[in-house]
Amino acid sequence: MKPAPPAWERVASPTPGAINAVTFTSPASGWLAGESGLLRSTDAGLTWAAVSSQSNKPSYGVSAVDPLRCWVIDSAAINRTSDGGVSWEPSLVSVPEGGRLCVIQMLSATRGWVVGTGGVLYTTTNGGIHWTLVPLSTTRTLRGVYFADPSRGWAMGDHGTLAATQDSGATWTVWTFTGAWPWNWDRCC
């Protein structure tokens, strides 16, 4: 007989504001992006500490590939660290005026994707030093991006917008729901 899986345990929020994203690279090492800034845990989320250079700035998205390398979105900027958050460097990304980045997914230390308002989709092949805009046939806000493997990925957004690739992002097919959309996602990004 298999033992029962551990039960979920409710814990107090480590931040006074909203939690926007969380990622773990191991059972112990995690990062949390929130309205009050970026937090880091090294004990499976039992305790969280503010990342000093990123604290007090709202963070909207976070992705990490190991305990040292992490990328965080704060509105129209992407910052990256390779030393566990001791130091941070800005990435070169050109977000349209008034635009906002929402979600980031790094597939490896070099390859990643970011989505945001206005239907923007950016990709990097050099660890986020530079980001390249990927043209899509939508201007609707994209609020999620997910790659199952390096070839197959999806970006999701407002009004049922879905973009899909099967060739590592070389080409994208975009579908958009055209009827009345019953949900309001304004809070998400």
Side-chain angles (χ1 to χ4, degrees), residues 48-91:
W48 294 87
V51 178
S52 62
S53 64
Q54 296 294 311
S55 61
N56 300 324
K57 289 195 297 191
S59 298
Y60 300 103
V62 63
S63 185
V65 296
D66 60 42
L68 297 178
R69 290 178 286 193
C70 179
W71 294 258
V72 63
I73 296 170
D74 58 44
S75 189
I78 304 169
N79 294 299
R80 65 189 191 286
T81 183
S82 59
D83 58 14
V86 174
S87 63
W88 292 85
E89 293 185 42
S91 292

Side-chain angles (χ1 to χ4, degrees), residues 19-20 35 59-61 73-76 98-104 114-120 140-144 156-158 184-189:
I19 296 172
N20 296 322
E35 294 297 322
S59 298
Y60 300 103
I73 296 170
D74 58 44
S75 189
R100 186 166 156 187
L101 301 174
C102 298
V103 174
I104 183 168
V114 172
V115 295
T117 59
V120 297
R140 293 190 170 156
T141 294
L142 298 174
R143 301 185 187 277
M156 302 67 75
D158 285 1
N184 179 358
W185 285 6
D186 289 343
R187 170 69 181 92
C188 297
C189 178

Side-chain angles (χ1 to χ4, degrees), residues 18-171:
I19 296 172
N20 296 322
V22 65
T23 187
F24 275 79
T25 59
S26 71
S29 180
W31 302 82
L32 182 147
E35 294 297 322
S36 300
L38 184 67
L39 305 176
R40 183 165 186 220
S41 177
T42 57
D43 61 6
L46 295 174
T47 61
W48 294 87
V51 178
S52 62
S53 64
Q54 296 294 311
S55 61
N56 300 324
K57 289 195 297 191
S59 298
Y60 300 103
V62 63
S63 185
V65 296
D66 60 42
L68 297 178
R69 290 178 286 193
C70 179
W71 294 258
V72 63
I73 296 170
D74 58 44
S75 189
I78 304 169
N79 294 299
R80 65 189 191 286
T81 183
S82 59
D83 58 14
V86 174
S87 63
W88 292 85
E89 293 185 42
S91 292
L92 299 176
V93 61
S94 179
V95 178
E97 187 172 332
R100 186 166 156 187
L101 301 174
C102 298
V103 174
I104 183 168
Q105 184 191 14
M106 294 300 294
L107 304 175
S108 68
T110 57
R111 186 73 164 153
W113 301 89
V114 172
V115 295
T117 59
V120 297
L121 171 69
Y122 295 92
T123 187
T124 184
T125 57
N126 61 12
I129 295 169
H130 296 94
W131 292 85
T132 303
L133 181 64
V134 177
L136 291 181
S137 60
T138 186
T139 57
R140 293 190 170 156
T141 294
L142 298 174
R143 301 185 187 277
V145 62
Y146 174 76
F147 271 73
D149 57 47
S151 298
R152 297 176 302 137
W154 299 266
M156 302 67 75
D158 285 1
H159 301 279
T161 300
L162 178 66
T165 183
Q166 295 184 27
D167 57 11
S168 302
T171 61

